[in-house]
Amino acid sequence: MEPLETISVESPDIVGAKTTKSLIKDTLADLSLTRVIVRLKVYVDPVEPVFIFTAVLRLSSPPVRIKDFAKVEMTNIEKDEVKIELSKETYVVKLLGKLWDRYGKGNISQPEQKVILIQTPLPDKEVEFLNELIIEEPQQEVLDRLIDAVALRIIPEGFRVRKHELTKTHIMFVASEDTLKPEWIERGKEMMKSLKEDEEYA
Amino acid sequence: MLEPVMYEGGVFKHNQIEELVEDLGGYILQKNVMQTEVVLLMLVPMNDLNVVEEKAKKLLGKVTRAPLTGSEIATIAPTLAYHHLPHLDCDVAEFLRKKGAKTNMVGLARGVGKRICQLTAYERDLINEHDIAMFILGNYEHCIIEKSKKLYEGIDIPIIVLGAPELKTEDVPNATAYVGSFGRILHQMRHAEELKTLDKLAEVTGTVLDKVRVEIGKDPLAIAPVRIKKELEEQIPELMDNLHPLPVTMQMTGVRVKLPYGEYHELIENIEFVEGVKMKEVAKVLPSKMRDFILIKALPKSVTGFVV
């Protein structure tokens, strides 16, 4: 399926729907989200006024942990020291930042390009902890960008009363200038459901 | 009667055009040199326009009418958020500047929404200092109409409204003119049809300004704003070192001087013209709402009883 072929904007205001569609495309392209959104459906009624945004998401890679790109081990039973041997240098900047925060700059040394030594009183426990430490969360970054796109750029500025639902598989936003009516939220949920069904049968 | 025109041509010998216009009693308002090209914005006496056109032809340049010359336009966005900036508002402002107007961007504090939008007293006064208020609104017909009913309260200068739907001016309450095909566009306007829309906007703005000129013509100003500008630039040396863009900005009925009011207003009020009148006899020198600048508004003939 080609990205962005499944955007639909419904509105009683035809010109408004057309321009809204183009602004959604622009925003998603600006924030490189075109591949994240699988299907997208928007309903706008400026008279009510209500803006419902629903989308099915496809998030990319899972979080990156230290064990994915390095070997963590104790150096010597007599020394209170943990050794991290890197196989990839891609994440080293973020890794060092996290290590400095936890152990302090004085306790970290890098004797070789791909070796990091940490001085710590409880090396055996730290090895377990470090193996699972999350260095980068691509999914969270994508979701942050998605929120930026929808809440701060796409939904009309005056629509300040909002209800949202955000998971790793879908996003739903109902926004209005006035108090939200239950039927709008119901409509949003229905739209979400039909989008998911479309996706299943696609 | 002075006609606002723009000269576009090469840098070579362009000073001949400048000298000719000044000899004819016209004024050079702005000169932009871009590498080998030069753009002059000037006011030329209407009867001598053909002389200037002939000279321009000889220099392989082009003289076009630029009705936006000498006007100050406020381009107003409901807020300064990403919804409106940078693309659409900057495109509009830049395009009008290219056509000879001076544009100032105004972002309202509480301009959003069709029911909750408001204009503060300060914003209203600031906008009223301009020649035209250009409200850049959004996509939906209903919102534009509802918003227009109350947002422009207290604005007594012509209002041009931009939006996505193609509406008639009569359908938009309180608007002097409406231009469609804008709306919330989040990319730079550079496609052929978008550039046509901008051209249409410049045309509509020109028409509105021409109407203002006709109104002013019914009770002419005691002194032409361009004359005030020239006199200020000749008599106040500090303006030469002023780093603000256009230290003396022309408006339809006066000028904005980018010098502090407290220090300079007395000096400006007492500037004397060769005809023997002082500035305070033909114009009001007021504090501007924009920073601590000075706003000079020329008085009409009906108040002074004479024209300089």
Side-chain angles (χ1 to χ4, degrees), chain B residues 25-280:
Chain B
Y27 299 89
I28 308 291
L29 299 179
Q30 239 191 88
K31 176 170 144 182
N32 289 325
V33 182
M34 287 157 286
Q35 297 181 350
T36 57
E37 297 287 302
V38 68
V39 176
L40 295 173
L41 288 171
M42 46 202 192
L43 292 176
V44 180
M46 206 185 258
N47 300 336
D48 302 321
L49 198 56
N50 52 345
V51 185
V52 179
E53 273 168 356
E54 263 169 43
K55 184 78 197 170
K57 223 176 192 176
K58 268 188 207 164
L59 297 174
L60 303 177
K62 206 171 72 184
V63 171
T64 41
R65 191 166 184 276
L68 270 57
T69 307
S71 65
E72 199 180 26
I73 297 173
T75 51
I76 304 155
T79 60
L80 288 178
Y82 214 96
H83 293 78
H84 314 278
L85 291 160
H87 296 300
L88 181 62
D89 288 23
C90 292
D91 284 345
V92 168
E94 188 198 344
F95 193 79
L96 294 177
R97 266 203 296 277
K98 269 189 199 158
K99 295 280 175 186
K102 165 81 176 79
T103 52
N104 292 322
M105 266 184 175
V106 182
L108 303 180
R110 291 171 195 281
V112 298
K114 63 174 172 143
R115 182 175 57 79
I116 53 178
C117 60
Q118 295 171 348
L119 200 63
T120 65
Y122 170 71
E123 286 164 352
R124 188 191 58 217
D125 293 349
L126 182 68
I127 292 168
N128 274 335
E129 278 181 10
H130 294 80
D131 293 314
I132 287 185
M134 193 169 282
F135 280 88
I136 303 172
L137 302 183
N139 290 348
Y140 308 111
E141 184 182 331
H142 179 77
C143 294
I144 292 172
I145 292 173
E146 284 300 307
K147 205 167 174 142
S148 298
K149 283 181 187 164
K150 55 185 204 179
L151 187 62
Y152 318 141
E153 218 165 79
I155 293 181
D156 43 28
I157 54 172
I159 294 166
I160 299 178
V161 181
L162 315 186
E166 295 293 342
L167 301 175
K168 285 183 197 151
T169 301
E170 306 86 86
D171 296 338
V172 185
N174 304 321
T176 317
Y178 175 86
V179 186
S181 303
F182 280 92
R184 269 174 61 201
I185 301 170
L186 291 188
H187 56 253
Q188 198 190 355
M189 292 182 87
R190 56 177 171 212
H191 300 298
E193 67 269 29
E194 290 168 342
L195 292 176
K196 261 185 217 158
T197 319
L198 285 169
D199 275 329
K200 199 176 132 209
L201 172 68
E203 199 190 306
V204 170
T205 315
T207 324
V208 172
L209 282 172
D210 280 342
K211 275 185 200 157
V212 175
R213 286 193 183 99
V214 171
E215 281 303 310
I216 295 171
K218 287 179 187 165
D219 185 7
L221 299 172
I223 185 158
V226 64
R227 184 72 201 286
I228 301 180
K229 179 179 158 83
K230 195 170 169 242
E231 241 19 85
L232 287 173
E233 281 169 349
E234 280 172 5
Q235 298 196 27
I236 303 180
E238 286 88 332
L239 283 170
M240 291 290 283
D241 311 322
N242 197 313
L243 292 178
H244 288 290
L246 289 179
V248 184
T249 308
M250 285 254 303
Q251 295 185 339
M252 302 296 287
T253 57
V255 297
R256 186 194 300 285
V257 189
K258 294 177 179 171
L259 287 173
Y261 179 80
E263 268 175 72
Y264 286 93
H265 78 274
E266 275 173 25
L267 179 76
I268 289 177
E269 277 168 4
N270 291 314
I271 277 182
E272 213 175 306
F273 294 92
V274 272
E275 288 86 349
V277 287
K278 285 190 174 170
M279 183 74 86
K280 60 184 169 192

Side-chain angles (χ1 to χ4, degrees), chain A residues 7-25 42-46 51, chain B residues 139-141 164-165:
Chain A
I7 289 187
S8 74
V9 181
E10 273 177 45
S11 174
D13 186 334
I14 296 159
V15 184
K18 211 178 117 207
T19 33
T20 305
K21 190 169 174 176
S22 105
L23 96 87
I24 290 174
K25 278 185 185 171
V42 170
Y43 173 77
V44 204
D45 189 343
F51 188 102
Chain B
N139 290 348
Y140 308 111
E141 184 182 331

Side-chain angles (χ1 to χ4, degrees), chain A residues 63-109:
Chain A
V64 179
R65 295 166 197 273
I66 294 192
K67 64 177 178 189
D68 298 334
F69 63 92
K71 209 164 82 185
V72 185
E73 58 194 10
M74 285 167 66
T75 43
N76 190 326
I77 201 88
E78 285 164 20
K79 278 189 190 168
D80 291 341
E81 202 172 58
V82 178
K83 184 166 110 183
I84 300 178
E85 212 167 315
L86 303 165
S87 54
K88 262 198 286 184
E89 283 178 89
T90 326
Y91 304 104
V92 78
V93 178
K94 282 190 176 171
L95 171 66
L96 277 174
K98 294 221 166 182
L99 293 179
W100 286 342
D101 285 346
R102 188 170 165 87
Y103 304 101
K105 257 188 179 177
N107 294 321
I108 313 281
S109 58

